[in-house]
């Protein structure tokens, strides 16, 4: 079963290679890439089943024993992330194939899009299985460079502008990440995550704090944590709909994933939970206020994305097994629902020719299917029961209630407010875009819309186009996934909670990579103990 | 109960489909669902009456102790009867109410039955979080149902208002439930109430929960949403906003009171809220001219009444509360349905325009009168019985009871007055108003209201039968002095007197209605809660706009500044807290390092200050070459070699790009002050990073792992070049990742330059056998003509063979024959060298990366000498294919070992004697390195192709002049 571990990276890369070689043969490209992701999904399912049964799978690449070689580790957290990412990537790929077939690939030139998309997938998957801090960096680089290409796809003025913001901020974060790795290697002489964790115990706590902070800032930028989040709403919404959907769903979560690993394994002893708690509150509230101020649906959703990152940071900041478990569930929920909403927004854009609620109207009548596909995930994101968003919030708040603390209650209050404002923003979209009649749009006056700001740049009203069945179906598939997260919340939460338990003690993780090692000094680095 | 809920869900999903087929008759079918559930409740009745609690449970999320657990005790049993019975009757009524061509009928039917199911779930839930789920779900369905007429702005606004107000309350309640569950260590409502936890947290929790109940049941200050919600179709008003949903808050209060009535402030606040609501609702109701709104305010008033008694917390009060709840559901639903019929048959609900309806629709009037009789508390209705009980319960109480009594008596006077006003307004013949035109409904439209009204009377007649049933809830409270029972006749008790008094005063109030109206007009509506709602929304919108415009400035320098400030602040703080400082300082290994470092710093600073793009690029290059030098000084030739090549290729790429950009980097960004701030920030960041680096590096206490690498590389990697073994073997997984980065980078360049698709062919000079002569070279002295296309090639017929195939496609003034010859001579040698570097890399400086760059340099040379056609001639394979093949090799060598059961990327070492070659060693990681090699070449080719060739082409297209003319033009200028 260990052989399955590297496949999640190898398969998409082979898909990318296939797409490059297939070149002009569009259908072949589509076939290859979809097949690769289907295969990854199958592998991820197998991995999750296996890992949930026995705890974890570790592969030492090239047979080079840790800490020399690179360890690839799939524990429950990784397996969950893999599976949900594979689903999202696959759905979005099918969506974009549908869009491409309809539009003759104007927006997403296949010869660029498909290989790049597959590399992005490989980067995301790699980040989730990296057992080596430098390899994690490589995973980030893969997905970031791919995202640079995807965000500027088509090269319109707006996309280049947004791309510049995105690329430069991401580069800064990469530099900081690299610098942090260098510092950690400087202080500890290793980059293997388990090895770092073991050696970290011997480092003075003040030095730990310095390293900790450096690493968190790098990850905080990627995860879009306030106040490192301002770049996100200015860059994501301009990309083509499927690209935005996959970015919104996955990329920030890779950052959150890294933060979880940082807090639970690398710096398990270094405690900055109170600071994180405050940050989570600000992320939630400032983020959702941004969403309330937007007229453009895609921009609005970008702000809700930032805002709900706050919930995840909150769970991490609790520093408890229950908190981390709840966070993991929330991540799974949020990846799917945010992607789904962006896909639905893509459908709205085609149907209504715009994503601004100042210009949309009558969609309930003209596109009832899209209405349903928007409404269900919107409720879900707003935390309306019985959907997974509610279960996630319930889990987070209950985990918070375990440790009575004023700060936690303040954050819970903030989280509740955020939930209400999320619902407000989304219900307003529903009122305007779906319920309001198209004939009312021209002369519409309401104080609900007074304070809203449009997306920067010239307003573009495109013609209304029908959505190809494939786009609608893939969105419907994602909606079905979000709903099934609710139905199967029991087993899913079970895995999340067990994943959280895995992270409760960093020694659980280190013993995967270094079985039978309790103390760092037992790892022999003085004699070549490399290949068997 | 679970099965009933499943039926509701199924019905909700099927309703839209069925409605398409059946039209409004679908409601008959749907009415069977609540009826079925009602049958379940009725069949459970004997057990419930005996005091048994019927339970069902299905675990949902074990780790959260979230279960679909239901229970049926007296309170919820009564609620199910109300919810399901009224629900079924309203559904039957719907069949008459809606025209077959009603838009959105299927949607309405689905939402309505779904609401009915969630309401049922709400009252039978035992798990408090499950209860909350149904609670919120009823809110959502109410939102969807209120805006049934989606084309009306008022409907949509009212729906949003109801959603936000009740969800706001609901979420507050949610927090309360969390606290409560944590304190009680249980999520079961019956368990929590049976053994209520104590403490300050619990008190807070309970009041938070009350906020939810208050908002749901439209009590002051949240009452405003309910009248607005009257924008919904009448069945919705009758069911959701009279009988069922608004009772949820009352239900919750009633369910919690047995456990929490002793909490200080519980009864007091509920009595206060209830009385105020009752008075405000009654007062407002008297002012309405729309009979539906009149009833809506009446409902608000009655909900206040219910709150007073439900929260009062005594055995008699409990009995009274349940009776009143039941009575209210019966009469209020009836009245709304009656209003719906009036609206339908006359087209108006304005009591100033309705006249003479009583004569024309006597049956309707009788039904309405019966319901009103119950509402005002006339014997022998159930309303009378309930009101008697309320008065008695409050009379039994202490000072609070007396205050409450004062309130509810006044409120009841209002009730009598607005009830009379309703009857008069709807049915009386008014002076000066013509009789309203009525078109008849079918008689069966009256079935539901008539049944409901009859229920109100019937229950009153059998009040003593109902008593033991309802008493099942009341026994949760300690017994008072004497046991009170519901009955029509208690003798001449004070309560009866109070009833009579309210009727008297109420009638008087109605009698003097004109004076009352004048009085009401004089009292200004100082506080308007609905205005408050809008003010809050506007406040939120404004705050959001302000906060967002401050943070979201759309300015990259601002965002970067924030990031760096956070870095300085947090890393700075951690440095301030630091106590582990380096004990000794070693500034350098060799002084020359300092010199190189200084040069790099100067170059970097100068690059930032440079105002010409080319200068900046060169200066950045200097830092790169400086780094290479540092590598050399540290004894890392391999790294230095690679770094040099990278710098060179980068420089070439930059130069190619710079052709399309203005020479100068715009004027100085921002004002001098901003520049000063940025410079200061840069210095602070640099200092912080340096101190952090020094501190962290000095803290090393354990041996790093690298000293072992050389040994490992030799013995296990079979290579002397540690860097290469690390790249292609030990850390080949990283390399594989970075290869994909290279590929994507190449893709990205192509994407931005070609914009549409990357497979655009490289243009190649036609090289076919028959037209070989076309490739003859022109003398470079020949005056230029616009050549560069194959057509141009065909026009010339030169004799001499070209040094470079495409050299002659260039304009003569752009050609350098010397360069062409040199390139022709060295190209193949460089390629051979690159192969050598590739294969020797394992043991000597080199490897796939460096080798690829060397080969890339050869391509650069071809391009520079012969232009894009020459590039096409040099490489006849598509860059994408090259990249793809390289990736297949690299990834393949990761995948293949898996087939043999080894770890990914495991290398195999083969050695043996070959004829001619002698002893040959081969390690499979070399295949990986070949992949690297191909990918790097692919990258260089892609960059040249897009930034070079394609940009050339675009320039030619934009500028129709020949290169020669361009040159001339420039000379002229």
């Amino acid at each position: 079963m260990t052989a399955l571990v590297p496949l999640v990276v190898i398969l998409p890369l082979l898909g990318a290679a296939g797409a490059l070689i297939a070149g002009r043969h569009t259908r072949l490209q589509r076939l290859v890439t979809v097949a690769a992701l289907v295969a990854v999904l199958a592998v991820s399912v197998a991995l999750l089943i296996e890992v949930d049964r026995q705890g974890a799978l570790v592969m030492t690449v090239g047979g080079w024993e840790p800490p020399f070689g690179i360890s690839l580790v799939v524990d429950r957290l990784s397996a969950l992330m893999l599976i949900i990412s594979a689903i999202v990537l696959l759905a979005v790929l099918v969506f974009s194939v549908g869009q491409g077939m309809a539009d003759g690939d104007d927006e997403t030139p296949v010869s660029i899009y498909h290989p790049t998309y597959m590399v992005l997938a490989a980067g995301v998957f790699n980040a989730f299985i990296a057992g080596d801090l430098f390899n994690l960096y490589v995973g980030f680089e893969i997905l970031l460079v791919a995202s640079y290409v995807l965000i500027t796809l088509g090269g319109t003025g707006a996309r280049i502008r947004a791309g510049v913001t995105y690329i430069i901020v991401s580069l800064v974060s990469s530099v900081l990440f690299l610098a942090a790795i260098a510092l950690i290697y400087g202080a500890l002489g290793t980059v293997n995550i388990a090895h770092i964790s073991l050696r970290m115990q011997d480092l003075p706590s003040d030095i730990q704090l310095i390293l900790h902070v450096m690493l968190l800032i790098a990850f905080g930028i990627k995860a879009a944590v306030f106040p490192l989040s301002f770049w996100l709403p200015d860059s994501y919404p301009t990309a083509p709909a499927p690209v935005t959907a996959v970015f919104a769903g996955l990329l920030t979560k890779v950052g959150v994933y890294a933060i979880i690993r940082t807090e639970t394994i690398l710096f398990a002893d270094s405690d900055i939970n109170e600071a994180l708690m405050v940050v989570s509150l600000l992320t939630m509230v400032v983020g959702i206020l941004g969403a309330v101020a937007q007229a453009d649906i895609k921009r609005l959703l970008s702000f809700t994305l930032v805002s709900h990152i706050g919930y995840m940071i909150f769970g991490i900041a609790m520093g408890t097994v229950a908190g981390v478990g709840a966070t993991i569930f929330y991540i799974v929920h949020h990846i799917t629902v945010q992607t789904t909403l962006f896909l639905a927004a893509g459908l709205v854009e085609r149907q209504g020719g715009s994503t601004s609620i100042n210009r949309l109207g009558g969609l309930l009548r003209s596109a009832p299917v899209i209405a349903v596909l928007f409404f269900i995930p919107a409720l879900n994101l707003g935390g309306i029961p019985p959907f997974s968003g509610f279960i996630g919030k319930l889990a987070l708040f209950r985990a918070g209630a375990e440790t009575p603390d004023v700060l936690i209650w303040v954050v819970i209050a903030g989280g509740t407010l955020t939930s209400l404002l999320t619902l407000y923003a989304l219900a307003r979209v529903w009122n305007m875009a779906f319920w309001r009649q198209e004939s009312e749009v021209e002369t519409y006056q309401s104080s609900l819309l007074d304070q809203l700001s449009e997306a920067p740049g010239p307003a573009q009203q495109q013609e209304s186009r029908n959505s190809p069945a494939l786009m609608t179906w893939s969105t419907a598939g994602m909606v079905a996934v979000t709903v099934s997260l609710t139905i199967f919340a029991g087993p899913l939460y079970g895995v999340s909670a067990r994943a959280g338990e895995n992270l409760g003690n960093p020694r659980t993780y280190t013993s995967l990579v270094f079985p039978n090692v309790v103390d760092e000094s037992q790892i022999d680095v003085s004699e070549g103990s490399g290949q068997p | 109960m679970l099965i009933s809920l499943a039926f509701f869900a199924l019905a909700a999903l099927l309703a839209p489909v069925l409605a398409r087929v059946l039209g409004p008759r679908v409601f008959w079918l749907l009415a069977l669902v609540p009826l079925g559930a009602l049958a379940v409740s009725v069949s459970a009745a004997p057990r419930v009456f005996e005091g048994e609690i019927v339970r069902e449970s299905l675990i949902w999320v074990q780790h959260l102790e979230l279960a679909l657990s239901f229970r049926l005790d007296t309170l919820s049993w009564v609620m199910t009867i109300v919810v399901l019975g009224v629900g079924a009757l309203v559904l039957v009524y719907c069949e008459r109410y809606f025209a077959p061509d009603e838009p959105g009928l299927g949607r309405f039917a689905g939402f309505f039955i779904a609401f009915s199911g969630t309401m049922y779930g709400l009252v039978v839930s035992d798990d408090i979080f499950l209860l909350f789920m149904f609670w919120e779900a009823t809110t959502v369905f109410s939102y969807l149902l209120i805006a049934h007429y989606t084309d009306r702005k008022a409907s949509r606004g009212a729906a949003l208002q109801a959603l936000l107000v009740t969800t706001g309350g609901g979420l507050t309640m949610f927090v309360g439930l969390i606290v409560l569950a944590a304190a009680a260590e249980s999520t079961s409502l019956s368990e929590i109430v049976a053994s209520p936890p104590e403490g300050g947290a619990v008190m807070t929790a309970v009041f938070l929960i009350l906020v939810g109940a208050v908002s749901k049941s439209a009590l002051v200050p949240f009452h405003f949403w309910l009248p607005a919600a009257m924008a919904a179709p009448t069945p919705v008003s009758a069911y959701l906003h009279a009988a069922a949903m608004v009772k949820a808050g009352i239900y919750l209060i009633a369910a919690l009171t047995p456990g929490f009535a002793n909490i200080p402030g519980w009864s007091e606040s509920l009595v206060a809220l209830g009385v105020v609501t009752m008075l405000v609702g009654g007062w407002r109701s008297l002012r309405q001219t729309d009979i539906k709104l009149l009833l809506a305010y009446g409902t608000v008033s009655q909900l206040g009444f219910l709150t007073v008694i439900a929260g009062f917390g005594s055995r008699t009060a409990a009995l009274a509360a349940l009776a009143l709840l039941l009575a209210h559901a019966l009469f209020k639903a009836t009245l709304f349905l009656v209003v719906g019929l009036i609206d339908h048959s006359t087209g108006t609900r304005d009591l100033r325009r309705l006249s003479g309806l009583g004569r024309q629709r006597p049956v309707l009037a009788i039904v309405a009168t019966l319901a009103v009789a119950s509402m005002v508390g006339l014997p022998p209705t159930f309303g009378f019985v309930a009101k008697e009980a309320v008065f008695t319960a409050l009379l039994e109480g202490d000072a609070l009871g007396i205050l409450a009594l004062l309130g509810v008596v006044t409120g009841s006077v209002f009730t009598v007055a607005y009830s009379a006003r309703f009857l008069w307004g709807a049915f009386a013949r008014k002076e000066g108003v013509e009789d309203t035109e009525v078109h008849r409904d079918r008689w069966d439209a009256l079935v539901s209201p008539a049944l409901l009204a009859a229920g109100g009377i019937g229950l009153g007649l059998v009040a003593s039968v109902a008593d033991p049933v309802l008493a099942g809830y009341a026994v949760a409270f300690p017994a008072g002095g004497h046991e009170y029972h519901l009955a029509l006749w208690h003798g001449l008790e004070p309560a009866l007197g109070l009833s009579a008094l309210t009727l008297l005063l109420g009638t008087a109030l109605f009698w003097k209605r004109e004076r009352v109206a004048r009085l009401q007009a004089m009292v200004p509506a100082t506080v308007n809660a609905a205005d408050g709602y809008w003010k809050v929304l506007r406040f939120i919108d404004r705050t959001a706009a302000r906060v967002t415009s401050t943070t979201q400035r759309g300015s990259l320098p601002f965002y970067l500044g924030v990031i760096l400030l956070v870095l300085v602040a947090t890393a700075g703080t951690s440095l301030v807290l630091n106590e582990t400082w380096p004990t000794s300082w070693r500034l350098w290994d060799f002084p020359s390092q300092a010199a190189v470092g200084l040069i790099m710093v100067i170059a970097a600073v100068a690059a930032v200050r440079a105002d010409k793009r080319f200068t900046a690029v060169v200066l950045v290059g200097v830092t790169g070459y400086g780094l290479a030098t540092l590598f050399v000084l540290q004894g890392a030739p391999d790294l230095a070699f690679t770094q040099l090549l990278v710098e060179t290729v980068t420089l070439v790429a930059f130069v190619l790009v710079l052709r399309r950009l203005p020479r100068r980097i715009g004027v100085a960004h921002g004002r001098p002050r901003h520049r000063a701030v940025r410079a200061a920030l840069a210095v602070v960041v640099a200092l912080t990073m340096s101190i952090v680096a020094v501190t962290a590096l000095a803290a090393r206490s354990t041996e790093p792992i690298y000293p072992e690498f050389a040994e490992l590389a030799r013995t296990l990697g079979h290579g002397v070049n540690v860097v290469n073994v690390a790249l292609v073997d030990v850390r080949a997984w990283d390399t594989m990742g970075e290869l994909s980065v290279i590929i994507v980078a190449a893709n990205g360049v192509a994407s931005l330059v070609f914009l549409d698709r990357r497979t655009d062919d490289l243009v190649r000079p036609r090289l076919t056998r028959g037209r070989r002569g076309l490739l003859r070279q022109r003398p470079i002295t020949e005056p230029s003509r616009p050549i560069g296309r194959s057509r141009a090639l065909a026009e010339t017929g030169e004799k001499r063979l070209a040094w470079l195939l495409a050299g002659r496609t260039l304009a003569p003034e752009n050609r350098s024959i010397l360069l062409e010859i040199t390139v022709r001579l060295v190209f193949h040698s460089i390629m051979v060298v690159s192969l050598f570097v590739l294969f020797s890399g394992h043991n000597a400086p080199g490897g796939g990366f460096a080798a690829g760059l060397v080969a890339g340099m050869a391509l650069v040379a071809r391009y520079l000498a012969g232009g894009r056609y020459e590039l096409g001639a040099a490489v006849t394979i598509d860059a994408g294919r090259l990249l793809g093949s390289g990736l297949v090799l690299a990834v393949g060598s990761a995948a293949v070992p898996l087939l043999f059961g080894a770890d990914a990327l495991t290398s195999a070492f083969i050695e043996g004697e070959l004829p001619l070659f002698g002893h040959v060693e081969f390690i499979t990681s070399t295949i990986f390195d070949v992949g690297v090699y191909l990918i790097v070449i692919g990258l260089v080719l892609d960059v040249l192709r897009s930034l070079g060739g394609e940009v050339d082409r675009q320039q030619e297209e934009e500028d129709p002049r020949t290169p020669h003319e361009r040159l001339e033009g420039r000379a002229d200028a």
Side-chain angles (χ1 to χ4, degrees), chain A residues 196-203 208 269 507 518 520:
Chain A
I196 293 174
S197 174
L198 288 166
R199 285 191 166 185
M200 191 68 79
Q201 306 169 80
D202 303 329
L203 211 58
Q208 281 193 33
D269 303 330
R507 296 293 81 84
V518 187
E520 193 276 327

Side-chain angles (χ1 to χ4, degrees), chain B residues 750-827:
Chain B
S751 155
L752 285 178
V753 177
F754 290 104
L755 290 184
D756 42 4
R757 48 186 62 231
R758 72 164 300 144
T759 48
D760 281 2
D761 286 319
L762 267 173
V763 271
R764 274 193 283 277
R766 300 264 170 84
L767 183 61
T768 50
R769 202 185 300 163
R771 296 162 77 192
R772 186 100 201 186
L774 298 182
L775 294 160
R776 301 294 153 87
Q777 198 178 22
R778 285 190 304 163
I780 58 173
T781 49
E782 188 182 311
S784 77
R785 264 191 292 154
I787 31 179
R789 306 289 142 81
S790 48
R791 192 179 55 79
L793 291 172
E795 285 170 1
T796 55
E798 304 299 329
K799 297 278 188 288
R800 280 180 295 152
L801 267 171
W803 280 101
L804 291 182
L805 284 173
R808 47 169 309 289
T809 63
L810 292 177
E813 63 276 8
N814 286 354
R815 289 182 67 181
S816 156
I817 205 73
L818 193 64
L819 187 60
E820 281 180 33
I821 294 167
T822 318
V823 170
R824 182 75 184 82
L825 290 175
V826 302
F827 178 75

Side-chain angles (χ1 to χ4, degrees), chain A residues 21 60 62 64 109 111 132 134-135 185-186 189 199 206 217 230 234 390 398 431 440 445 490 525-526, chain B residues 60 64 133 143 153 156 544 552 559 570 579-580 697 700 703 705 708 729 731 734 756 758 881 903-904:
Chain A
I21 293 171
T60 48
W64 296 86
S111 44
D132 182 285
F134 186 77
N135 192 243
Y185 183 75
R199 285 191 166 185
D206 40 7
I217 290 180
F230 304 150
D234 279 2
F390 167 73
R398 292 203 68 189
N431 269 35
E440 292 177 68
Q445 295 264 323
V525 295
S526 58
Chain B
W60 181 15
L64 292 174
M133 290 193 173
Y143 169 68
K153 191 177 173 186
R156 302 191 302 254
Q552 212 67 41
Y559 299 164
T570 53
E579 286 168 1
T580 319
L697 293 182
R700 175 181 287 186
E703 274 299 299
I705 57 172
E708 297 311 309
D729 205 335
R731 298 195 65 97
D734 283 343
D756 42 4
R758 72 164 300 144
R881 296 236 165 111
D903 289 331

Side-chain angles (χ1 to χ4, degrees), chain B residues 93 103 469 482 513 871:
Chain B
Y93 173 85
V469 177
H482 75 283
R513 58 183 176 278
L871 190 65

Side-chain angles (χ1 to χ4, degrees), chain B residues 73-216:
Chain B
D73 57 12
T74 306
L75 178 62
S76 27
W77 186 83
V78 172
M79 285 301 292
T80 59
I81 301 298
V82 170
V83 167
L84 298 170
V86 177
L89 288 172
V90 173
L91 277 167
V92 169
Y93 173 85
C94 280
E95 193 270 335
R96 288 284 108 205
Y97 186 82
F98 287 109
D101 57 350
E102 173 80 22
L105 186 69
R107 199 172 69 215
F108 179 88
F111 293 153
F112 198 89
I113 195 73
F115 168 81
S116 179
T118 49
M119 192 63 212
Y120 173 67
L122 193 158
V123 296
V124 295
S125 293
D126 188 40
D127 187 294
I128 51 174
F129 294 113
L130 185 65
L131 183 148
F132 178 74
M133 290 193 173
F134 287 116
W135 184 281
E136 288 293 87
T138 56
T139 302
V140 171
F141 287 118
S142 152
Y143 169 68
L144 292 169
L145 286 167
I146 292 173
H148 174 68
Y149 303 114
T150 52
D151 49 346
R152 299 181 194 165
K153 191 177 173 186
S155 299
R156 302 191 302 254
L160 185 65
Q161 189 179 55
L163 178 75
L164 293 179
V165 172
T166 46
T167 311
L171 285 169
T172 316
M173 165 172 147
F174 180 49
V175 176
L177 291 176
I178 300 251
V179 183
L180 189 62
E185 293 177 353
S186 164
T187 58
S188 156
L189 184 60
S190 47
E191 275 177 35
I192 292 174
V193 173
S195 50
E198 281 168 17
V202 174
M203 237 179 89
T204 321
V206 166
F207 281 101
L208 290 176
I209 294 171
L210 280 188
V211 174
V214 165
S215 67
K216 193 87 166 179

Side-chain angles (χ1 to χ4, degrees), chain A residues 36-169:
Chain A
L37 281 181
V38 169
V40 172
L41 181 57
V43 168
S44 314
V45 171
L47 278 173
L48 182 64
I49 294 171
E50 181 66 17
V51 162
D52 197 36
R53 193 183 308 150
Q54 68 171 49
L57 290 170
V58 179
M59 167 164 281
T60 48
V61 180
W64 296 86
E65 288 301 314
F68 302 101
I70 294 172
S71 308
L72 303 178
V73 183
V74 176
D75 58 2
R76 291 190 179 93
L77 172 60
S78 304
L80 261 180
M81 295 292 112
L82 287 176
I83 207 167
I84 203 69
S85 313
I87 291 173
V88 163
L89 283 162
L90 183 61
V92 173
L93 182 64
V94 173
F95 184 93
S96 54
V97 165
Q99 188 174 3
M101 292 201 300
D103 301 350
D105 305 319
D106 288 342
E107 271 223 295
T108 53
V110 276
S111 44
I112 303 286
Y113 178 77
H114 284 256
T116 311
Y117 188 87
M118 294 311 285
V119 170
L120 178 88
V124 171
F125 294 136
N126 193 9
F128 289 142
I129 62 171
D132 182 285
L133 199 55
F134 186 77
N135 192 243
L136 181 65
Y137 171 80
V138 172
F140 271 106
E141 277 311 284
I142 301 173
L143 71 90
L144 282 176
V145 176
S147 71
Y148 301 159
V149 176
L150 291 175
I151 206 166
T152 53
L153 218 54
T156 60
R159 282 186 192 158
I160 300 288
R161 248 191 315 281
V164 167
T165 304
Y166 177 71
I167 293 173
I168 292 186
V169 170

Side-chain angles (χ1 to χ4, degrees), chain B residues 587-672:
Chain B
L587 290 174
W588 48 67
D589 296 335
F590 325 99
S592 46
Q593 284 175 323
V596 176
L598 193 65
I599 292 172
M600 288 171 71
V601 169
I602 292 171
V605 172
V608 175
R609 296 185 55 87
D611 63 343
K612 289 200 190 83
R613 288 202 153 77
F614 187 74
T615 321
V617 166
V618 171
L619 286 167
V620 171
V622 170
T623 62
Y625 289 118
L627 187 62
T629 318
L630 283 181
F631 286 147
V632 171
L633 290 174
Q634 286 286 357
D638 216 322
L639 292 184
F641 184 38
T642 312
Q643 179 74 32
L644 280 175
L645 287 168
V646 167
E647 282 306 325
T648 311
V649 172
T650 313
L651 207 57
V652 170
F654 259 127
V655 171
L656 291 175
V657 174
L658 286 187
R659 298 181 297 165
R660 295 286 276 169
L661 296 175
R663 275 169 63 221
R664 292 187 177 274
I665 309 178
V667 249
H669 316 289
R671 282 172 289 171

